Amino acid sequence: MPPTTKKRRTRRRTFRQILGGVRRRVRRAAGKVRRVWRRSLQLQVVTSTLVISVTVVVVLGAFLFDQINRSVVKSSQDSSVSEAFADRLQIADALALDTDEQSKAADSGKKGSPSPLDEVMDTVTGSGEDGSKKRYDVLILNRTAPGQSRASGSVVRANVPSALEQNLKRNVQKFEFDKIVGSIEEITFTGQSQPMLTYVVGGVVHVPSTGQNYEVYHFFPFGEEEELLYNVRLAIIVVGFGLVLLLAAIAYLVTRQVVSPVRLAREAAERLASGKLDERLKVRGEDDLARLANSFNEMAANLALKIHQLEELSQVQRQFVSDVSHELRTPLTTVRMAADLLYDAREDFDPMASRSAELMQAQLERFESMLADLLEISRYDAGAATLDLDPVDVREVVLRAIGDSEALAERHATRFELRLPNEPCMAEIDNRRVERILRNLLFNAIEHGEGRGIVVTVGADRDAVAVAVRDHGIGLKAGEDTMVFDRFWRADPSRARTIGGTGLGLAISREDATLHGGWLQAWGQPGEGSQFRLTLPRMAGADLKGSPLSLVPPEIEMRRTWRGAMTPVLLPASGDGGGHDDD
């Protein structure tokens, strides 16, 4: 590759990097401005007032300047037309003098005497003996006798606008000698470098005695009018700018009087929400804001009272559950000893008594399990649950939980399908609690799996490990994916439990997952089965940002994707919440 090509590519790459950095900075700045805009009510009100004020001032200023401009230009045009008409009368009188008399006067020896046309030119332009000079110039053209043309100042024939000249020709053809036409043009006079806005008024003077036509043009410069309009425009801009600033300041002060109490109420509400129940607002005056402060204080007082009552009630309930659970252990131990003796001697009893001993033994085991779960729940409610963390390979925990569930799975003709990664999935967890979570998930899958296979998948990434338990049973209805973790909740109350569960297993499992800083989530559809996913951080105390495994089974995701690709019109896209990122 030639060196020039390499340099060109290097420059392009450098330019793209610089451009990308500028774009990132612009996006970050725009994001900060957007956040400030959304979070500040005062800024929104002041900005809205400023925008509306600028719009109103610009519209009114443009309208006012347009009216002033029209008035000034109209007044100047009327004045110019009047002066041009008066001058044209004088020029017509001068041109009406008999040509023969002018010749006799010239032959009688009056040499150097000005002609009537020259005299009238001095009169109309004001360049006579008094030395005064009018603000406009005059051009008289005689196309049949160019020697009789006259001009004042620096006006030449080339300064006449062609459109105006054509209009005068049409007036002559129509014998409309008294009609005056005019136009505003940018004209560059002789000796000037910049064009000047000039109002040109044209008319025709007809001399009946000679039959000649004279074109008379008056050039009225609009320099004074332009200066006046410039000053007016500058004044409108300065006044409009000051008015906008004044309105913005007024809006700032007014919104500050309203927003400041609202901001104080927001801060007090945040402190109240954080647990500071003694937070109150200062009441000043009797206006609406003062009434808002009174209402807030009453609400805070009632809320604090209700929370205190609920805390006392919750404490009584927790203490009651704990006391009952502990007090039941002694009589339960006695009943358990008696039941064991009866159960061991059941072969000596008649069939009905033997069956009763077996039922009593089974129900005592269930009662003991429920009592243990109640004690565990009471620990969570009291905030006394703690973790015994150790670095553990999650695959081994899964294998132990499956080993404990194999006997139950064989009785229900259920098989396990394991999908384990080849590399260790190390995480800091409480081995006992995580194994209990997995046993509860496996028991639940066996009970509701309808004897079909159960898929257990383990996944891991840099930040988290996950275990998914998938069954192909009755599934979950809409909304049951969160209700399934409620205490003593059952999807179908008429359905009998086949493994003697207490109804607290999934609730305790979710508490265990939350204690680890993890997630325990459920997905299900009627007829498609269900899947429970446990996600735990690798490092204790780390925040989870996602899960290595999808909450929705892969085959369901593929089926949805295929259906969406085949029938995009009939099946509109909708989120199912089964991706790797979780709320």
Side-chain angles (χ1 to χ4, degrees), residues 318-340:
R318 289 196 298 267
Q319 188 65 34
F320 175 77
V321 172
S322 178
D323 293 343
V324 169
S325 301
H326 283 88
E327 292 297 330
L328 285 178
R329 283 190 170 276
T330 301
L332 181 61
T333 302
T334 305
V335 174
R336 180 67 179 180
M337 293 174 59
D340 289 340

Short mmCIF file of all heavy atoms in Angstrom, two decimals, residues 318-340:
data_model
loop_
_atom_site.label_atom_id
_atom_site.label_comp_id
_atom_site.label_asym_id
_atom_site.label_seq_id
_atom_site.Cartn_x
_atom_site.Cartn_y
_atom_site.Cartn_z
N ARG A 318 -45.96 -11.03 64.64
CA ARG A 318 -44.70 -11.79 64.59
C ARG A 318 -44.40 -12.46 65.91
O ARG A 318 -43.96 -13.62 65.96
CB ARG A 318 -43.55 -10.84 64.19
CG ARG A 318 -43.59 -10.38 62.75
CD ARG A 318 -42.25 -9.79 62.34
NE ARG A 318 -41.92 -8.62 63.13
CZ ARG A 318 -42.19 -7.36 62.79
NH1 ARG A 318 -42.84 -7.14 61.66
NH2 ARG A 318 -41.84 -6.35 63.56
N GLN A 319 -44.65 -11.71 66.99
CA GLN A 319 -44.40 -12.30 68.30
C GLN A 319 -45.34 -13.47 68.56
O GLN A 319 -44.94 -14.50 69.13
CB GLN A 319 -44.58 -11.22 69.39
CG GLN A 319 -44.15 -11.67 70.77
CD GLN A 319 -42.67 -11.95 70.85
OE1 GLN A 319 -41.87 -11.28 70.18
NE2 GLN A 319 -42.28 -12.96 71.63
N PHE A 320 -46.59 -13.32 68.10
CA PHE A 320 -47.55 -14.40 68.28
C PHE A 320 -47.12 -15.65 67.51
O PHE A 320 -47.14 -16.77 68.05
CB PHE A 320 -48.93 -13.94 67.81
CG PHE A 320 -49.96 -15.02 67.84
CD1 PHE A 320 -50.54 -15.44 69.03
CD2 PHE A 320 -50.36 -15.66 66.66
CE1 PHE A 320 -51.49 -16.45 69.06
CE2 PHE A 320 -51.30 -16.67 66.68
CZ PHE A 320 -51.87 -17.07 67.87
N VAL A 321 -46.72 -15.46 66.24
CA VAL A 321 -46.28 -16.62 65.44
C VAL A 321 -45.05 -17.26 66.06
O VAL A 321 -44.94 -18.50 66.17
CB VAL A 321 -46.01 -16.18 63.99
CG1 VAL A 321 -45.37 -17.33 63.20
CG2 VAL A 321 -47.30 -15.75 63.33
N SER A 322 -44.11 -16.42 66.50
CA SER A 322 -42.90 -16.98 67.09
C SER A 322 -43.21 -17.72 68.39
O SER A 322 -42.71 -18.83 68.62
CB SER A 322 -41.90 -15.85 67.34
OG SER A 322 -40.74 -16.35 67.96
N ASP A 323 -44.05 -17.10 69.24
CA ASP A 323 -44.38 -17.75 70.51
C ASP A 323 -45.15 -19.05 70.29
O ASP A 323 -44.86 -20.07 70.93
CB ASP A 323 -45.20 -16.80 71.37
CG ASP A 323 -44.39 -15.59 71.82
OD1 ASP A 323 -43.14 -15.65 71.72
OD2 ASP A 323 -45.00 -14.58 72.22
N VAL A 324 -46.12 -18.99 69.37
CA VAL A 324 -46.89 -20.21 69.11
C VAL A 324 -46.00 -21.31 68.56
O VAL A 324 -46.10 -22.49 68.94
CB VAL A 324 -48.06 -19.89 68.16
CG1 VAL A 324 -48.71 -21.17 67.66
CG2 VAL A 324 -49.08 -19.02 68.85
N SER A 325 -45.10 -20.91 67.62
CA SER A 325 -44.21 -21.92 67.03
C SER A 325 -43.32 -22.56 68.09
O SER A 325 -43.12 -23.79 68.10
CB SER A 325 -43.36 -21.28 65.94
OG SER A 325 -44.19 -20.72 64.93
N HIS A 326 -42.79 -21.73 68.99
CA HIS A 326 -41.93 -22.29 70.03
C HIS A 326 -42.73 -23.10 71.04
O HIS A 326 -42.28 -24.17 71.51
CB HIS A 326 -41.17 -21.17 70.75
CG HIS A 326 -40.01 -20.64 69.95
ND1 HIS A 326 -40.15 -19.62 69.04
CD2 HIS A 326 -38.69 -21.01 69.94
CE1 HIS A 326 -38.97 -19.36 68.50
NE2 HIS A 326 -38.06 -20.18 69.02
N GLU A 327 -43.90 -22.58 71.38
CA GLU A 327 -44.69 -23.29 72.39
C GLU A 327 -45.22 -24.63 71.86
O GLU A 327 -45.45 -25.56 72.64
CB GLU A 327 -45.85 -22.41 72.85
CG GLU A 327 -45.44 -21.18 73.64
CD GLU A 327 -44.74 -21.56 74.94
OE1 GLU A 327 -45.05 -22.64 75.52
OE2 GLU A 327 -43.86 -20.79 75.38
N LEU A 328 -45.41 -24.70 70.54
CA LEU A 328 -45.91 -25.95 69.98
C LEU A 328 -44.86 -27.04 69.92
O LEU A 328 -45.20 -28.21 69.71
CB LEU A 328 -46.48 -25.70 68.57
CG LEU A 328 -47.84 -24.99 68.49
CD1 LEU A 328 -48.21 -24.77 67.03
CD2 LEU A 328 -48.91 -25.81 69.20
N ARG A 329 -43.60 -26.65 70.04
CA ARG A 329 -42.55 -27.67 69.92
C ARG A 329 -42.64 -28.70 71.04
O ARG A 329 -42.44 -29.90 70.81
CB ARG A 329 -41.17 -27.00 69.92
CG ARG A 329 -40.82 -26.36 68.60
CD ARG A 329 -39.36 -25.94 68.55
NE ARG A 329 -38.98 -25.55 67.21
CZ ARG A 329 -38.60 -26.37 66.26
NH1 ARG A 329 -38.55 -27.68 66.52
NH2 ARG A 329 -38.25 -25.93 65.07
N THR A 330 -42.90 -28.27 72.28
CA THR A 330 -42.94 -29.21 73.40
C THR A 330 -44.08 -30.21 73.27
O THR A 330 -43.85 -31.44 73.33
CB THR A 330 -43.04 -28.44 74.72
OG1 THR A 330 -41.92 -27.57 74.85
CG2 THR A 330 -43.06 -29.41 75.90
N PRO A 331 -45.33 -29.75 73.08
CA PRO A 331 -46.38 -30.76 72.90
C PRO A 331 -46.20 -31.57 71.63
O PRO A 331 -46.55 -32.75 71.58
CB PRO A 331 -47.66 -29.93 72.86
CG PRO A 331 -47.24 -28.56 72.52
CD PRO A 331 -45.89 -28.39 73.09
N LEU A 332 -45.61 -30.94 70.59
CA LEU A 332 -45.40 -31.68 69.36
C LEU A 332 -44.38 -32.79 69.57
O LEU A 332 -44.50 -33.89 68.99
CB LEU A 332 -44.94 -30.73 68.25
CG LEU A 332 -44.69 -31.37 66.88
CD1 LEU A 332 -45.97 -31.98 66.34
CD2 LEU A 332 -44.13 -30.34 65.90
N THR A 333 -43.36 -32.51 70.39
CA THR A 333 -42.36 -33.55 70.65
C THR A 333 -43.01 -34.73 71.38
O THR A 333 -42.75 -35.90 71.06
CB THR A 333 -41.23 -32.96 71.50
OG1 THR A 333 -40.65 -31.85 70.81
CG2 THR A 333 -40.17 -34.01 71.76
N THR A 334 -43.88 -34.42 72.34
CA THR A 334 -44.57 -35.49 73.06
C THR A 334 -45.48 -36.29 72.13
O THR A 334 -45.49 -37.53 72.14
CB THR A 334 -45.38 -34.90 74.22
OG1 THR A 334 -44.52 -34.13 75.06
CG2 THR A 334 -46.04 -35.99 75.04
N VAL A 335 -46.26 -35.56 71.34
CA VAL A 335 -47.14 -36.25 70.39
C VAL A 335 -46.31 -37.04 69.40
O VAL A 335 -46.71 -38.16 69.00
CB VAL A 335 -48.03 -35.21 69.68
CG1 VAL A 335 -48.85 -35.88 68.58
CG2 VAL A 335 -48.95 -34.54 70.68
N ARG A 336 -45.17 -36.51 69.01
CA ARG A 336 -44.32 -37.21 68.04
C ARG A 336 -43.81 -38.53 68.63
O ARG A 336 -43.78 -39.56 67.93
CB ARG A 336 -43.14 -36.30 67.66
CG ARG A 336 -42.19 -36.91 66.65
CD ARG A 336 -42.85 -37.07 65.32
NE ARG A 336 -41.94 -37.63 64.33
CZ ARG A 336 -42.26 -37.87 63.08
NH1 ARG A 336 -43.49 -37.62 62.65
NH2 ARG A 336 -41.38 -38.39 62.25
N MET A 337 -43.42 -38.51 69.89
CA MET A 337 -42.93 -39.73 70.53
C MET A 337 -44.04 -40.77 70.60
O MET A 337 -43.84 -41.95 70.28
CB MET A 337 -42.41 -39.41 71.93
CG MET A 337 -41.16 -38.54 71.95
SD MET A 337 -40.68 -38.04 73.62
CE MET A 337 -40.45 -39.63 74.37
N ALA A 338 -45.25 -40.32 70.98
CA ALA A 338 -46.37 -41.26 71.05
C ALA A 338 -46.74 -41.79 69.67
O ALA A 338 -47.04 -42.97 69.49
CB ALA A 338 -47.57 -40.58 71.69
N ALA A 339 -46.70 -40.91 68.67
CA ALA A 339 -47.04 -41.33 67.31
C ALA A 339 -46.01 -42.31 66.77
O ALA A 339 -46.36 -43.26 66.05
CB ALA A 339 -47.13 -40.11 66.40
N ASP A 340 -44.73 -42.13 67.12
CA ASP A 340 -43.70 -43.08 66.67
C ASP A 340 -43.94 -44.46 67.26
O ASP A 340 -43.76 -45.49 66.58
CB ASP A 340 -42.31 -42.56 67.05
CG ASP A 340 -41.90 -41.35 66.22
OD1 ASP A 340 -42.49 -41.15 65.13
OD2 ASP A 340 -40.99 -40.60 66.66
#
